[in-house]
Amino acid sequence: MPKDHTKPPRARTLGANITLSGFGLENIGQVYSDSVTPLNDEPKIEGSTITKKRSAGFLFDEDGLFNIDDEGRTERQQCAVAASNIIRNFSFMPENETIMVQHRHCLETLFQCLEDQNTEDDELITNMLETLVNLAPVLDLRIFSSSKASFIPITEKSAVHAIMGMLDSSIKAWHCAAAELIGRLIINPDNESFLLPMISQIYKRLVDLLSVQAVDAQAAAVSALYNVSEVNMDCRLRLASERWAVDRLLKIVKAPHPVTEVCRKAAVILESLVSEPQNRMHLLVHENTFAEILTSEGKYSDTFARILYELTARPSNKVTSGQAIWGNIN
């Protein structure tokens, strides 16, 4: 139920032309009267057991058994959040992963909640998102085009758009989880064809997250970039050409990030970028920073030594001339 739900007026037309109808306006007085007119001129029976105690007005009361008022909607919302907690807890058990990722209705429900992030309960969306993060390593988006019965119109493309909506969210828990979700989904080669068309938007947002002050957002972005950059050469070329990408990855290492593994992954990403000859021109401008980290950060000295070696020792006939900070490099 959307939070801004309002009860629209309901047109009571069912059975309007039937003589004995609870919804017929013309016969409402006859069907629900305080006394019944005797048939065949029989005398009226006082104290009759068929006297109607309820007024006909209850038929038009919206707060009846089958009509949910605000209190009823709140109760249903609480039940939905409780159910989402159960599903989330299921996803933490490795034994449940296969069953859940093969249940199309379950996955459609999860992604539908992400699509409705502007109207659904925050806790409900968070639970659904965390469930998908847990299932992501074994999740195959092709299930949405499989022959299994579909209950909600969710496609691979709409699922990716739902994830992008969460990645663009200003809520830290959501964009961190969405970044982690993308990093885990891309591990499966079968998901690459659905995620790569959005790679430019993904890179732009992940690089933005590298600049925020929250260390957990930086960690989620680095983890996602670490996996995406390993997909193919085009991913590495696009990342190196993304504005501020190299600069912000270097800042993660230089700061340094409080989690050592995050710094290591950032360094490995830079090493994978320099392995592509076409990226030299994007990385040469940072050569002094590479040398500075090499001499000051002992943990990553080997990685940055290899980066500098790739920049300076690789034969230059494979690439066009680049402009370094001190002059031309042929």
Side-chain angles (χ1 to χ4, degrees):
M1 289 289 182
K3 293 180 179 178
D4 56 350
H5 176 78
T6 56
K7 293 182 292 185
R10 299 178 60 179
R12 300 290 192 174
T13 59
L14 180 62
N17 298 323
I18 300 177
T19 304
L20 299 177
S21 170
F23 298 98
L25 301 179
E26 70 281 4
N27 299 306
I28 202 71
Q30 298 178 12
V31 179
Y32 293 97
S33 58
D34 292 335
S35 61
V36 179
T37 302
L39 301 176
N40 301 325
D41 296 330
E42 292 181 0
K44 294 182 180 179
I45 303 176
E46 294 183 2
S48 173
T49 58
I50 61 175
T51 298
K52 303 300 179 181
K53 298 182 179 180
R54 181 177 293 181
S55 170
F58 86 96
L59 290 175
F60 302 94
D61 186 4
E62 292 294 329
D63 296 333
L65 176 63
F66 301 103
N67 301 308
I68 300 178
D69 56 4
D70 291 339
E71 184 178 353
R73 275 188 290 274
T74 301
E75 184 176 353
R76 284 190 62 180
Q77 188 68 54
Q78 292 173 347
C79 290
V81 172
S84 70
N85 269 306
I86 297 173
I87 295 176
R88 171 182 172 272
N89 292 341
F90 282 162
S91 68
F92 284 105
M93 299 294 295
E95 296 84 356
N96 296 333
E97 289 179 349
T98 302
I99 299 175
M100 297 183 72
V101 298
Q102 292 179 355
H103 197 292
R104 183 170 180 174
H105 192 188
C106 174
L107 296 177
E108 288 174 339
T109 304
L110 298 179
F111 279 104
Q112 185 187 44
C113 289
L114 301 193
E115 287 184 334
D116 299 337
Q117 60 167 303
N118 295 325
T119 56
E120 287 288 2
D121 182 86
D122 291 354
E123 184 179 356
L124 177 65
I125 296 173
T126 302
N127 288 338
M128 298 292 95
L129 187 56
E130 290 181 358
T131 301
L132 286 170
V133 172
N134 292 337
L135 299 177
V138 292
L139 175 58
D140 187 348
L141 293 176
R142 293 180 301 172
I143 190 173
F144 296 124
S145 58
S146 67
S147 58
K148 293 186 177 182
S150 175
F151 298 87
I152 303 172
I154 298 291
T155 63
E156 297 92 339
K157 185 177 180 179
S158 62
V160 173
H161 279 287
I163 298 173
M164 292 301 300
M166 302 305 297
L167 185 64
D168 291 333
S169 171
S170 60
I171 300 176
K172 185 178 72 171
W174 291 0
H175 59 237
C176 288
E180 188 174 358
L181 176 57
I182 291 173
R184 294 186 178 190
L185 283 175
I186 202 72
I187 295 175
N188 185 347
D190 296 323
N191 294 328
E192 291 179 6
S193 59
F194 308 117
L195 290 168
L196 291 183
M198 305 290 293
I199 200 64
S200 297
Q201 296 93 312
I202 291 174
Y203 276 157
K204 187 178 186 305
R205 180 56 175 159
L206 292 179
V207 172
D208 286 343
L209 292 180
L210 291 178
S211 64
V212 302
Q213 298 299 319
V215 293
D216 47 354
Q218 294 175 357
V222 169
S223 296
L225 290 172
Y226 179 80
N227 290 336
V228 177
S229 64
E230 294 297 322
V231 172
N232 55 34
M233 180 183 69
D234 184 64
C235 288
R236 291 186 285 275
L237 296 179
R238 286 172 178 263
L239 178 57
S241 61
E242 181 67 35
R243 188 180 184 186
W244 307 117
V246 176
D247 181 69
R248 290 173 180 174
L249 286 169
L250 285 170
K251 288 181 178 179
I252 293 290
V253 180
K254 288 180 63 179
H257 191 280
V259 180
T260 305
E261 181 65 12
V262 174
C263 295
R264 186 193 69 83
K265 287 185 176 181
V268 172
I269 294 172
L270 292 169
E271 185 179 3
S272 68
L273 295 183
V274 80
S275 66
E276 302 297 337
Q278 297 92 322
N279 287 336
R280 286 187 66 188
M281 55 184 291
H282 298 293
L283 297 171
L284 278 173
V285 295
H286 300 281
E287 189 170 4
N288 282 351
T289 307
F290 293 148
E292 179 184 345
I293 297 176
L294 172 62
T295 57
S296 60
E297 295 290 341
K299 296 179 181 178
Y300 318 110
S301 58
D302 290 345
T303 301
F304 283 90
R306 290 192 294 268
I307 292 175
L308 287 171
Y309 175 81
E310 290 287 337
L311 285 176
T312 57
R314 181 183 290 273
S316 59
N317 56 359
K318 296 183 181 180
V319 295
T320 58
S321 297
Q323 182 72 25
I325 56 177
W326 59 87
N328 290 326
I329 298 297
N330 295 320

